[in-house]
């Protein structure tokens, strides 16, 4: 039975209210990001990921041939190949191997593929004792939970819970010693050891397993039978391809240059030391089985958009970068596979319904793609799944229904006192510049629009404001309603098509929507190319004016020593690549600019996300305010109206004496008064 939104909401609220859990998640997730940054000090991340991405896509292109080659090489060295079409077939294959081996005890090293097919309960139903040997997996198993992170399965478990679970003092070293002692005999008595694989090399029939604890070594060497379960996407052509993964995977996941253990396994154990006669099963397994799983992967490979998700190396970095994941944990942000990649994979492995609610927790902040070592277009893929989601909140459904009806929305805003932006009458001379205000500036944050008009006219231009403009379409499109987004976008194009000069907008999100996103929604209006070509984001536009000294700034002043904490909006930073530019604008205007420490990169607005999940959005905003407080600044600036509105409201509710202003406002305030 599918989970109701009400029950899911209760789970989210419970996670948000768990103060020890929240503190644990912030500590661990920020530490993982810091370690990753250190790990890539010795490797060019962009160069490494472009190389790995090209290799992985090439491997996928060749996949049928590589599978055949891997099978041939594996069988040449004494291994056995099994191809499983789905989870049921994989369980049956593994169950039969374990039954023939007389398995009473089955030890397992960490494997998300075994979680994917629900292997443990299946083997237990056959009377076997299944023992997870990874420390985190063992804790999760004894707690009767499932992993909450791809590489750190017990990331949600506090030290106190660890101590209670293993009846040990709340000390990591003592807990670890207790688990080691309990598992040692299990390794020895097991008849079958089950592992996953981080890669499978077609040219040699070798699998590779990347770990830190040493449990995988015992799992794949002590029992007489070793079974490796992995997806068809793990097959690579050459040893060089595997090494390319090794360069990026440990750094991305845990910040290590290389993991403690990298096992290269090519068939079962063998020796020719006795009379130079080859025998199988010297000290390690006598049998080595590779169960290679499809379970929706070929369907993904055939899809032009989702094919890229099969390049994933399961590093978990996308989860580490995801602000809502840190707030609610992986048990809410996913199904079996969690985090952003889990939202993409789940519909193919377990059906759309399994991720219908969790995918609504994505803010579309793009942090996951920014950090991904193979540059997977996770935000776009999540949006595509969102198109098929039906479990939206009542408030969100109402907003999505009302928003495209421009006149009704504007009438409601008139009643609420949100009058349209009123600009001073433009001067008669000067070349024209057209203002695309965005709906938020037009109705909620008019200060940014007025500031832009003042800057434009101070530079000698004439500001025009076509009154028919409304919404770029981003709001419904980010909720998965591309068709509604396209209709609104077309209305905007018609409103702007007769305008003159560059079209400047104070909203970075709306600029990205028109110039980048609209085409991906399916916008085919012939006006799009011309309008997008004229569109300018206000940050770069004003930076050019400042660098060309076209604005009358007062001389001999330093901005009164004003310190401004700059908030990078998600679209500005990750979609538009605006990082140095807004800081440079503020510096040229005479302000001291300080960066906000990384707690949660996103402020939590996320368009309709803040309507859908106000509690999660507020948690992200509070983290942002905590980080701002560390800077000592009393002014926060950004170039995105949604972020400004959200942070301003959170600061007001918290009772903070904090000014939240658009970059344009701060620049306009520094302009010399006309003589």
């Amino acid at each position: 039975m599918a989970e109701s939104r009400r029950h899911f909401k209760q789970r989210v609220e419970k996670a948000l209210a768990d103060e020890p859990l929240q503190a644990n998640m912030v500590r661990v997730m920020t530490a993982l990001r810091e370690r990753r940054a250190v790990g890539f000090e010795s490797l060019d991340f962009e160069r490494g990921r472009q190389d790995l991405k090209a290799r992985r896509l090439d491997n996928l292109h060749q996949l049928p041939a590589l599978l055949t080659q891997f099978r041939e090489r594996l069988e040449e060295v004494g291994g056995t190949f099994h191809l499983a079409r789905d989870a049921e077939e994989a369980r049956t294959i593994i169950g039969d191997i374990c039954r023939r081996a007389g398995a009473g005890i089955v030890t397992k090293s960490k494997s998300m593929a075994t979680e994917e097919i629900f292997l443990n309960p299946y083997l237990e139903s056959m009377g076997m004792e299944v023992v997870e040997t990874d420390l985190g997996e063992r804790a999760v198993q004894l707690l009767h939970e499932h992993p909450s992170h791809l590489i750190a399965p017990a990331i949600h478990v506090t030290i106190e819970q660890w101590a209670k679970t293993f009846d040990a003092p709340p000390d990591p070293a003592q807990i670890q010693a207790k688990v080691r002692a309990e598992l040692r005999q299990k390794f020895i008595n097991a008849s079958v050891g089950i592992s996953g694989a981080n890669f499978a090399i077609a040219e040699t029939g070798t699998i590779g397993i990347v770990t830190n604890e040493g449990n995988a070594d015992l799992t794949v060497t002590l029992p007489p039978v070793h079974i490796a379960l992995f997806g068809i996407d793990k097959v690579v052509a050459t040893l060089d391809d595997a090494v390319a993964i090794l360069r990026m995977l440990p750094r991305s996941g845990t910040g290590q240059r290389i993991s403690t253990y990298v096992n290269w396994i090519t068939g079962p154990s063998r020796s020719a030391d006795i009379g130079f006669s080859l025998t199988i099963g010297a000290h390690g397994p006598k049998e080595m089985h590779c169960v290679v799983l499809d379970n929706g992967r070929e369907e993904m490979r055939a899809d032009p958009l989702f094919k890229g998700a099969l390049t994933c190396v399961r590093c978990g970095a996308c989860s580490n970068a995801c602000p809502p994941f840190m707030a609610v944990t992986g048990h809410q942000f996913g199904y079996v596979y969690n985090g952003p990649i889990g939202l993409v994979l789940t519909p193919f492995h377990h059906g759309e319904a399994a991720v219908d609610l969790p995918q609504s927790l994505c803010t579309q902040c793009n942090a996951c793609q920014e950090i991904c070592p193979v540059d997977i277009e996770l935000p776009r893929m999540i949006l595509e799944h969102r198109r098929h989601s039906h479990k939206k909140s009542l408030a969100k459904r109402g907003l999505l229904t009302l928003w495209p009806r421009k006149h009704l929305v504007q009438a409601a805003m008139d009643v609420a006192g949100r009058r349209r932006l009123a600009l001073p009458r433009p001067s008669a001379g000067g070349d024209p510049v057209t203002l695309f205000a965005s709906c938020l500036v037009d109705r909620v944050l008019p200060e940014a629009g007025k500031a832009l008009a003042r800057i434009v006219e101070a530079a000698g231009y004439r500001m025009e404001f076509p009154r028919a403009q409304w919404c770029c379409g981003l709001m419904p499109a980010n909720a998965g309603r591309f068709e509604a987004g396209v209709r609104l976008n077309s209305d905007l194009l018609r409103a702007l098509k007769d305008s003159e000069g560059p079209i400047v907008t104070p909203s970075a999100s709306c600029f990205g929507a028109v110039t980048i996103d609209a085409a991906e929604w399916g916008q085919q209006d012939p006006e799009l190319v011309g309008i997008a070509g004229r569109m300018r984001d206000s940050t770069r536009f004003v930076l050019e004016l400042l660098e060309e000294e076209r604005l009358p700034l007062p001389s001999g002043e330093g901005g009164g020593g004003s310190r401004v904490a700059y908030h990078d909006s998600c679209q500005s930073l990750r979609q538009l690549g605006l990082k140095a530019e807004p800081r440079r604008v503020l510096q040229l205007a005479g302000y001291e600019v300080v960066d906000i420490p990384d707690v949660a990169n996103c402020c939590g607005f996320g368009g309709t996300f803040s309507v859908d999940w106000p509690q999660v959005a507020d948690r992200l905003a509070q983290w942002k305010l905590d980080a701002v407080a560390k800077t000592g600044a009393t002014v926060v600036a950004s170039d995105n109206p949604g972020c400004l509105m959200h942070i301003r409201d959170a600061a007001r509710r918290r009772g903070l004496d904090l000014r939240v202003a658009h970059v344009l406002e701060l620049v306009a305030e520094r302009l010399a008064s006309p003589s």
Side-chain angles (χ1 to χ4, degrees):
M1 182 176 176
E3 183 177 23
S4 68
R5 181 178 175 85
R6 180 180 179 182
H7 185 266
F8 184 71
K9 182 172 179 284
Q10 290 173 344
R11 289 203 286 126
V12 169
E13 291 174 345
K14 183 179 179 181
L16 290 171
D18 189 333
E19 293 184 6
L21 173 65
Q22 291 291 305
N24 193 54
M25 290 298 292
V26 171
R27 179 180 59 83
V28 174
M29 300 299 275
T30 53
L32 283 169
R33 294 199 293 272
E34 290 168 358
R35 291 177 185 176
R36 176 197 170 275
V38 173
F40 277 106
E41 288 176 355
S42 58
L43 182 71
D44 185 328
F45 173 70
E46 284 300 331
R47 183 175 179 180
R49 84 161 169 175
Q50 290 308 314
D51 173 64
L52 182 55
K53 178 180 181 179
R55 289 175 181 272
R56 297 289 286 131
L57 289 173
D58 185 58
N59 290 158
L60 289 176
H61 180 70
Q62 305 178 62
L63 188 57
L66 293 180
L67 280 167
T68 299
Q69 185 183 15
F70 177 78
R71 176 174 192 159
E72 292 171 352
R73 297 294 180 266
L74 177 67
E75 291 174 347
E76 285 176 4
V77 294
T80 305
F81 179 93
H82 309 267
L83 183 63
R85 290 167 296 182
D86 54 30
E88 182 180 3
E89 188 170 1
R91 289 193 299 265
T92 301
I93 292 169
I94 294 171
D96 288 346
I97 296 170
C98 292
R99 184 187 295 110
R100 290 196 302 270
I105 297 176
V106 175
T107 53
K108 289 176 71 259
S109 66
K110 188 165 70 66
S111 164
M112 286 305 300
T114 63
E115 298 284 346
E116 176 187 331
I117 68 169
F118 307 106
L119 181 61
N120 286 15
Y122 179 79
L123 295 180
E124 289 167 348
S125 73
M126 297 173 65
M128 301 173 195
E129 180 185 0
V130 181
V131 182
E132 295 287 354
T133 64
D134 174 86
L135 289 173
E137 286 277 5
R138 185 61 174 164
V140 167
Q141 183 181 32
L142 295 178
L143 287 167
H144 304 291
E145 297 178 346
H146 61 269
S148 63
H149 191 281
L150 293 183
I151 66 166
I155 199 171
H156 63 289
V157 180
T158 64
I159 188 68
E160 291 75 20
Q161 290 174 301
W162 274 94
K164 183 178 180 180
T165 301
F166 292 101
D167 192 22
D171 175 71
Q174 294 190 59
I175 295 170
Q176 181 173 289
K178 183 77 178 292
V179 180
R180 177 187 173 103
E182 290 179 357
L183 291 181
R184 191 63 33 164
Q185 197 61 43
K186 300 291 187 183
F187 284 118
I188 295 172
N189 294 341
S191 301
V192 176
I194 299 177
S195 75
N198 293 96
F199 43 77
I201 305 171
E203 70 176 353
T204 59
T206 302
I207 67 166
I209 305 174
V210 181
T211 61
N212 279 312
E213 295 179 9
N215 61 302
D217 301 60
L218 296 170
T219 296
V220 304
T221 55
L222 286 178
V225 176
H226 170 209
I227 303 172
L229 172 69
F230 52 91
I232 58 175
D233 51 301
K234 295 298 180 69
V235 179
V236 301
T238 66
L239 178 62
D240 286 344
D241 292 331
V243 171
I245 293 174
L246 283 175
R247 278 195 293 267
M248 299 294 285
L249 172 58
R251 286 180 167 91
S252 294
T254 57
Q256 297 168 276
R257 292 184 180 183
I258 191 68
S259 298
T260 306
Y261 300 94
V262 180
N263 286 56
W264 306 86
I265 304 171
T266 310
S269 167
R270 52 195 181 275
S271 174
D273 286 354
I274 304 173
F276 208 67
S277 177
L278 183 66
T279 57
I280 301 296
H283 293 291
K286 295 180 179 180
E287 297 179 27
M288 196 266 187
H289 298 263
C290 288
V291 181
V292 188
L293 179 64
D294 182 351
N295 201 36
R297 288 167 174 80
E298 277 294 356
E299 181 185 355
M300 292 178 70
R301 196 172 76 91
D303 189 292
L305 175 61
F306 290 105
K307 179 179 180 178
L310 291 175
T311 66
C312 175
V313 296
R314 302 294 193 271
C315 67
C318 58
S319 296
N320 301 343
C322 177
F325 183 97
M326 186 167 76
V328 304
T329 81
H331 284 158
Q332 282 63 245
F333 205 99
Y335 183 58
V336 171
Y337 291 104
N338 44 49
I341 186 64
L343 301 184
V344 171
L345 298 176
T346 295
F348 292 94
H349 300 325
H350 302 111
E352 291 279 356
V355 78
D356 200 12
L357 289 165
Q359 56 79 23
S360 67
L361 287 166
C362 169
T363 66
Q364 286 290 298
C365 73
N366 296 333
C368 52
Q369 183 173 356
E370 179 187 45
I371 205 170
C372 176
V374 278
D375 193 25
I376 300 173
E377 296 179 58
L378 292 165
R380 175 66 182 85
M381 295 176 186
I382 293 169
L383 270 189
E384 188 63 28
H385 285 315
R386 191 171 283 180
R387 295 178 69 177
H388 308 291
S389 171
H390 302 290
K391 292 184 178 178
K392 296 177 173 64
S393 67
L394 181 61
K396 188 167 185 174
R397 291 201 304 271
L399 185 61
L400 291 172
T401 300
L402 180 63
W403 198 258
R405 301 174 183 179
K406 169 185 172 182
H407 299 296
L408 291 177
V409 177
Q410 292 189 339
M413 287 187 169
D414 287 340
V415 171
R418 297 290 189 182
R419 301 296 178 184
R420 294 205 68 180
L421 173 64
L423 297 179
R425 185 180 299 277
S427 56
D431 294 330
V433 169
T434 295
L435 170 63
F436 164 40
S438 84
C439 47
L440 283 182
V441 170
D442 192 2
R443 290 286 187 162
V444 182
L445 295 171
E447 299 89 353
K450 293 176 181 178
L452 179 58
R454 184 178 175 193
I455 292 168
V456 164
E457 295 200 357
Y461 292 101
R462 182 182 77 254
M463 175 66 80
E464 300 288 348
F465 180 34
R467 304 292 290 180
Q469 62 178 276
W470 173 233
C471 177
C472 63
L474 183 60
M475 192 276 285
N478 261 9
R481 297 192 174 180
F482 285 8
E483 295 80 5
V486 168
R487 288 197 298 272
L488 283 170
N489 189 260
S490 293
D491 290 343
L492 176 67
L493 297 179
R494 285 193 290 271
L496 296 176
K497 72 174 183 177
D498 294 327
S499 64
E500 297 181 276
I503 303 170
V504 184
T505 177
S507 173
S509 295
C510 297
F511 174 79
V514 175
T515 60
I516 300 173
D517 299 329
E520 294 184 351
W521 306 337
Q523 175 61 281
Q524 298 178 348
D525 192 314
E527 298 288 348
L528 177 63
V529 174
I531 296 295
R534 292 168 53 206
M535 191 79 73
R536 302 289 307 279
D537 68 87
S538 60
T539 299
R540 289 191 175 100
F541 181 78
V542 173
L543 179 58
E544 289 179 11
L545 298 180
L546 287 166
E547 290 180 334
E548 294 170 3
E549 299 183 351
R550 296 185 59 180
L551 294 178
L553 294 174
S555 59
E557 298 184 26
S562 299
R563 169 178 286 192
V564 177
Y566 187 75
H567 163 67
D568 291 290
S569 74
C570 298
Q571 281 70 30
S572 295
L573 180 63
R574 301 187 186 95
Q575 185 183 47
L576 308 182
L578 289 168
K579 183 173 178 64
E581 292 87 346
R583 290 164 173 81
R584 181 63 176 156
V585 166
L586 291 170
Q587 288 165 352
L588 288 173
Y591 296 94
E592 177 192 356
V593 184
V594 293
D595 290 333
I596 300 174
D598 172 22
V599 177
N601 292 318
C602 179
C603 71
F605 176 64
T608 56
F609 174 81
S610 56
V611 175
D612 215 12
W613 293 107
Q615 309 98 317
V616 183
D618 184 63
R619 180 56 47 85
L620 269 58
Q622 296 304 322
W623 283 337
K624 180 64 64 175
L625 292 175
D626 290 341
V628 170
K630 294 178 182 179
T631 69
T634 57
V635 179
V636 175
S638 186
D639 64 354
N640 199 309
C643 298
L644 295 171
M645 181 178 69
H646 188 58
I647 296 172
R648 181 183 296 177
D649 183 61
R652 178 188 56 78
R653 286 185 283 107
R654 194 159 157 176
L656 297 180
D657 184 17
L658 181 69
R659 184 185 180 194
V660 183
H662 199 289
V663 171
L664 296 173
E665 295 176 66
L666 298 180
V667 173
E669 290 169 10
R670 295 285 295 139
L671 295 177
S673 300
S675 56

